[in-house]
Amino acid sequence: MAQERHHEADITASQKKRAFHVRKGRWPIRSAGLNFALAYGVIFLISAALFLSFIWWSSNNLLDNHVRAFIETDAQELREHWNYGGPPALSDAIEERLEQNVDDDALYLLIDRYGRRLAGNLPGWPASITRINHFYEITIRRYSFTTPAEFKAYNLTHGYKLIIGHDIRGRYLLGTVITRTLIWCAVMIALLAFGGAWVVRDLFRRMVGSIARTASAVASGDLSHRIALTGSETDLVAEPVNTMLDRINRLMEGVRQVSNAIAHDLRTPITRARNQLEDALSSANSTEALRSAVDKAICDLDHITGIFEALLRIAQIEAGSRRSAFTMVDVNDLLSNMAELYEASAEDAGLKLVLDVSPLPALHGDERMLQQALANLLDNAIKFSPAGSELTLSAHPVLAITPKGHAASTPTGIEISVRDHGPGMNKEDILRAHERFFRAESARHTPGSGLGLSLVQAVTGLHHGKLTLTQANPGLKVTLFLPLTPAASHPHALTDPVQNHD
Amino acid sequence: MHILLVEDDPTVRSFVFKGLKEAGHNVDQADNGKDGLYLAISEKYDIIILDRMLPGGIDGLNILETLRGQKNNTPVLLLSALSEVDDRVDGLRAGGDDYVTKPFAFSELLARVEALGRRGNADAAPETTITVGDLKLDLLTRDVQRDGQKIDLQPREFRLLEFLARHAGQVVTRTMLLEKVWDYHFDPQTNVIDVHVSRLRQKVDKPFKTSIIHTVRNAGYILRTPQD
């Protein structure tokens, strides 16, 4: 025992360790809402960055092209000045341009063949410009600061050279603006994401909360609680859970009904047996009397056992676990054998058992359970029929009705009915007939447990069929509809089992 | 017959033990699976009565499977509080020959034990006729004669008489008849079997001076010749 406990402790320790290990390797945030929002934030941020990068790249391109085009046109114009008036005209044009350049972003340099500076605002030939007719992007010193600039050098005639440049500080300003935008974006997205996280988390909680509330209400015993349907995605969970709860409720109701019934209907024969034995113990004065008392007590105990078995069997069938025993059943065979077995009993009771059976298709079902159900129906019919009357066991295939109103050629099910000419049942009794231990007032004086029809009902349910009781005036007609395939079953077969069709 | 009884409940065990002794059988008993298995393997029995639920780690089905695994074909009757159809099927599939659910009437158990014991003996020679006193059944032609007089029987009546005759001198219960003659495993509320037996009596007993089919109170029926 101690060893066992030690072993158990070992297991829990290793389980804890594993759980810890798993948690360590995992994402630390457990809230689905928060994770959701975080994921959204990250996606927003990445898309904003991509978007702004594209803007940055395309506006840069635009600016570059613009600057280069400006330089090229400027060069074209200045070349005309050169052609027209030579160095002095060009110098003048350059000086004029510099004066008119309000943005102070134009850069010029004109040198002669000896490298002497003739005009322009560049202090000297930048060392990095080595090729003619080529764009350079160089950082230069202007006044007190350095700035990037785009340059292109041109060869003029007689060894003169011209550099036209453009200060592209603006591009860097744009870059700063975009970077700043990106940062602001990030901040705002973060704020939105966290705000969203709370909202989403709240939303999630509210969605799950309704399910959780219902679940805990059910867990604490209130089976009537259901999840409110909102039309949202939670309904995907809520609906099956509600259906499940309905089923549990029905089963619980059955259990409650059975335990009530046990309290009622088992106590009676137990009391009877006990009283008989006690009476015999105290007052039997002959062996004969003692024997008869014990004999009666055994009879009562057998009756109790019978009730028990019937209850257990019904419970087992209703749990649906018996479908494993389903095979193809030859219903014609089953019915004729059953009729053969009961024909003698009927005759003995002065009744005539009439068999009215059409050729039937094979049915997928539990043969023993069907036999039991039929036996119960025939037992009942024989029990309640007045001597000299007739009882009918009939069975016919049920044809599907096509949308046009014609009967289809393939049957969807089998209808088996047992009809007697007994006292029948009134409407109220028919409605309650399938209840466990229910016995109609007129049946009180006949032997029986009130479980026969419950069992038939359970067997019918097992086969997705439908049990119908009809007042046949005179007598009662009990009809079993058994579908050949479960799909063909009546939609209300389980929920509304006994219906009055008169 | 030499019978092994493996049952853990002392009351049930002593009740069955006493009953079997009184019926003239030689009974060994065990109250747990281990002893039961030991006895079942080491001794030769005509029939073993096994409770399904046994203490000590070895239950009735384990014993049964072990025996059958060793090609030991001693008839086994399972005794169980598990009455569900599937449990019965499990028991029979594991190699059990019959199944009695608790609570049971001793007469039912005794009848089944004796039927099983008889079956064990008669395994070897396939019969073509059964003769009980002046009753003669031809299993091939399905002819029935009593005292040289031919009796016309329905197929089911023939099977009923055949079953009774095969177990002549033994009590057969209504449940046994329902199971073996009709192959039904439910509990009819009305006296279906009685009616069939009484019909059979009309043909087999009524025209003759002596009856051979007798009712055994609280148990069932027995077919026996007057001199038995």
Side-chain angles (χ1 to χ4, degrees):
Chain A
M1 189 67 198
Q3 208 177 350
E4 225 168 78
R5 198 173 298 157
H6 182 223
H7 184 60
E8 240 174 52
D10 260 9
I11 288 174
T12 41
S14 70
Q15 271 173 348
K16 261 185 203 159
K17 206 188 247 174
R18 199 181 311 150
F20 179 66
H21 186 73
V22 165
R23 197 168 294 174
K24 208 174 116 189
R26 254 195 191 169
W27 181 244
I29 297 171
R30 317 287 287 181
S31 154
L34 212 59
N35 277 328
F36 195 68
L38 270 181
Y40 247 83
V42 169
I43 289 170
F44 267 146
L45 212 57
I46 289 173
S47 38
L50 279 175
F51 179 66
L52 288 172
S53 306
F54 178 73
I55 289 182
W56 164 244
W57 174 77
S58 55
S59 40
N60 245 352
N61 255 1
L62 191 75
L63 278 176
D64 261 10
N65 289 342
H66 186 72
V67 166
R68 286 178 187 197
F70 173 80
I71 290 174
E72 294 283 11
T73 14
D74 209 17
Q76 200 64 42
E77 279 174 34
L78 288 177
R79 215 184 268 277
E80 272 166 29
H81 280 280
W82 173 264
N83 290 342
Y84 176 71
L90 184 57
S91 300
D92 286 352
I94 287 172
E95 292 307 328
E96 192 189 343
R97 263 155 218 250
L98 284 175
E99 265 164 42
Q100 282 171 3
N101 184 222
V102 186
D103 293 339
D104 191 21
D105 55 359
L107 298 166
Y108 296 98
L109 181 68
L110 176 66
I111 53 168
D112 63 13
R113 82 178 78 161
Y114 310 108
R116 280 178 303 197
R117 174 173 172 271
L118 297 181
N121 52 357
L122 282 179
W125 189 269
S128 44
I129 298 181
T130 51
R131 284 165 62 194
I132 300 299
N133 274 333
H134 188 264
F135 281 108
Y136 285 94
E137 195 183 315
I138 303 162
T139 309
I140 50 156
R141 223 186 143 69
R142 284 188 75 191
Y143 315 117
S144 57
F145 55 88
T146 56
T147 174
E150 187 97 21
F151 290 105
K152 194 173 181 180
Y154 297 91
N155 269 339
L156 302 171
T157 47
H158 312 297
Y160 283 82
K161 280 178 180 140
L162 174 66
I163 291 179
I164 303 175
H166 206 87
D167 189 336
I168 49 171
R169 217 173 342 160
R171 186 165 88 181
Y172 284 83
L173 286 176
L174 182 76
T176 326
V177 166
I178 284 182
T179 315
R180 222 173 272 164
T181 313
L182 200 61
I183 289 166
W184 275 110
C185 263
V187 169
M188 274 176 339
I189 284 167
L191 281 177
L192 279 175
F194 277 107
W198 286 110
V199 172
V200 167
R201 204 167 84 121
D202 204 50
L203 223 65
F204 270 20
R205 285 199 169 178
R206 211 169 302 162
M207 282 159 101
V208 179
S210 137
I211 298 174
R213 264 196 309 283
T214 305
S216 49
V218 170
S220 59
D222 177 13
L223 270 171
S224 63
H225 220 278
R226 290 292 177 275
I227 302 166
L229 296 184
T230 55
S232 73
E233 286 81 351
T234 33
D235 285 7
L236 289 177
V237 181
E239 264 173 83
V241 168
N242 281 349
T243 316
M244 181 183 81
L245 287 174
D246 284 344
R247 172 131 177 87
I248 291 174
N249 203 13
R250 263 208 306 285
L251 291 176
M252 291 293 290
E253 202 50 56
V255 170
R256 203 167 303 142
Q257 212 182 328
V258 168
S259 41
N260 286 347
I262 287 174
H264 253 244
D265 289 64
L266 283 180
R267 264 168 203 265
T268 318
I270 291 173
T271 313
R272 220 183 304 145
R274 196 185 188 288
N275 290 353
Q276 251 150 16
L277 289 171
E278 208 176 308
D279 183 46
L281 187 66
S282 60
S283 62
N285 38 24
S286 69
T287 324
E288 205 48 49
L290 202 62
R291 269 182 197 283
S292 119
V294 170
D295 208 32
K296 275 186 197 153
I298 289 176
C299 262
D300 281 328
L301 286 175
D302 284 347
H303 179 57
I304 296 166
T305 309
I307 292 179
F308 252 130
E309 296 232 320
L311 275 176
L312 283 176
R313 193 163 285 189
I314 292 170
Q316 196 196 16
I317 296 169
E318 283 187 347
S321 60
R322 293 271 324 145
R323 289 208 182 100
S324 57
F326 271 33
T327 50
M328 292 314 286
V329 180
D330 182 340
V331 188
N332 280 104
D333 221 32
L334 187 144
L335 288 170
S336 58
N337 283 331
M338 235 30 221
E340 191 256 353
L341 179 67
Y342 275 91
E343 189 263 325
S345 305
E347 196 188 282
D348 191 53
L351 305 169
K352 191 168 186 295
L353 176 62
V354 181
L355 195 61
D356 167 26
V357 179
S358 325
L360 299 166
L363 178 82
H364 190 238
D366 186 326
E367 186 162 15
R368 293 214 164 144
M369 289 298 148
L370 290 172
Q371 286 168 351
Q372 172 86 63
L374 266 179
N376 284 11
L377 291 182
L378 289 168
D379 268 334
N380 271 352
I382 290 173
K383 212 156 59 179
F384 293 112
S385 288
S389 67
E390 199 174 79
L391 56 97
T392 317
L393 171 62
S394 51
H396 302 285
V398 175
L399 300 177
I401 303 299
T402 58
K404 284 176 192 165
H406 302 300
S409 53
T410 49
T412 55
I414 293 173
E415 204 169 75
I416 303 170
S417 62
V418 175
R419 191 247 157 114
D420 62 44
H421 287 80
M425 292 169 101
N426 60 34
K427 272 188 185 176
E428 292 77 48
D429 287 350
I430 281 179
L431 284 175
R432 294 191 56 201
H434 69 290
E435 282 178 22
R436 268 160 225 173
F437 296 106
F438 173 78
R439 307 196 64 205
E441 210 45 56
S442 52
R444 291 275 171 212
H445 59 279
T446 53
S449 59
L451 288 171
L453 264 187
S454 307
L455 198 130
V456 177
Q457 168 64 39
V459 172
T460 317
L462 181 74
H463 291 83
H464 299 285
K466 189 176 159 221
L467 173 67
T468 321
L469 273 68
T470 329
Q471 181 65 263
N473 292 327
L476 183 74
K477 187 178 177 190
V478 183
T479 309
L480 288 185
F481 169 72
L482 301 171
L484 290 180
T485 50
S489 69
H490 193 276
H492 301 298
L494 276 170
T495 50
D496 189 14
V498 177
Q499 285 182 352
N500 191 356
H501 278 283
D502 58 353
Chain B
M1 281 193 286
H2 194 196
I3 299 172
L4 172 63
L5 169 66
V6 190
E7 161 68 59
D8 60 319
D9 185 275
T11 316
V12 176
R13 192 176 62 244
S14 68
F15 170 66
V16 174
F17 180 77
K18 193 172 141 236
L20 290 173
K21 278 262 182 206
E22 275 168 12
H25 299 295
N26 175 17
V27 187
D28 289 346
Q29 45 181 331
D31 63 356
N32 63 68
K34 231 168 118 185
D35 295 351
L37 182 60
Y38 174 75
L39 281 171
I41 289 174
S42 50
E43 300 264 329
K44 177 91 186 94
Y45 291 100
D46 295 313
I47 186 165
I48 299 172
I49 303 173
L50 265 183
D51 186 21
R52 266 194 72 166
M53 305 275 230
L54 289 169
I58 301 175
D59 71 7
L61 277 192
N62 296 144
I63 297 179
L64 178 55
E65 279 160 357
T66 312
L67 284 179
R68 294 297 183 247
Q70 295 183 347
K71 303 264 180 278
N72 182 333
N73 286 322
T74 311
V76 168
L77 185 141
L78 287 162
L79 206 56
S80 170
L82 304 170
S83 74
E84 304 300 352
V85 185
D86 290 338
D87 297 320
R88 179 190 287 268
V89 170
D90 282 350
L92 298 182
R93 198 172 287 158
D97 298 277
D98 208 347
Y99 201 100
V100 172
T101 46
K102 292 178 188 172
F104 54 87
F106 181 74
S107 54
E108 179 81 39
L109 179 70
L110 184 65
R112 283 171 185 267
V113 164
E114 296 196 328
L116 271 185
R118 164 72 67 91
R119 202 206 62 181
N121 298 337
D123 260 354
E127 302 157 299
T128 54
T129 56
I130 302 173
T131 312
V132 185
D134 56 359
L135 178 75
K136 217 168 143 187
L137 279 84
D138 189 320
L139 300 181
L140 298 177
T141 60
R142 309 227 141 206
D143 273 345
V144 181
Q145 283 189 7
R146 192 173 168 199
D147 214 4
Q149 241 175 289
K150 195 170 182 299
I151 303 173
D152 276 324
L153 291 182
Q154 302 286 330
R156 187 73 69 180
E157 289 168 339
F158 183 87
R159 286 184 60 188
L160 182 57
L161 184 63
E162 181 194 336
F163 188 81
L164 286 167
R166 275 187 193 279
H167 297 92
Q170 290 173 10
V171 176
V172 284
T173 63
R174 292 173 179 84
T175 328
M176 282 167 78
L177 289 175
L178 191 67
E179 280 180 22
K180 310 289 180 194
V181 178
W182 276 271
D183 191 26
Y184 283 161
H185 293 263
F186 57 83
D187 180 26
Q189 289 168 17
T190 46
N191 53 347
V192 272
I193 299 301
D194 294 339
V195 179
H196 281 275
V197 172
S198 104
R199 275 188 168 188
L200 186 65
R201 276 175 166 164
Q202 291 290 319
K203 293 183 176 175
V204 177
D205 274 348
K206 198 137 183 243
F208 303 93
K209 274 176 288 174
T210 51
S211 304
I212 51 169
I213 301 172
H214 303 271
T215 308
V216 183
R217 216 172 93 78
N218 287 338
Y221 297 97
I222 186 165
L223 188 147
R224 67 168 177 242
T225 52
Q227 53 267 39
D228 279 347

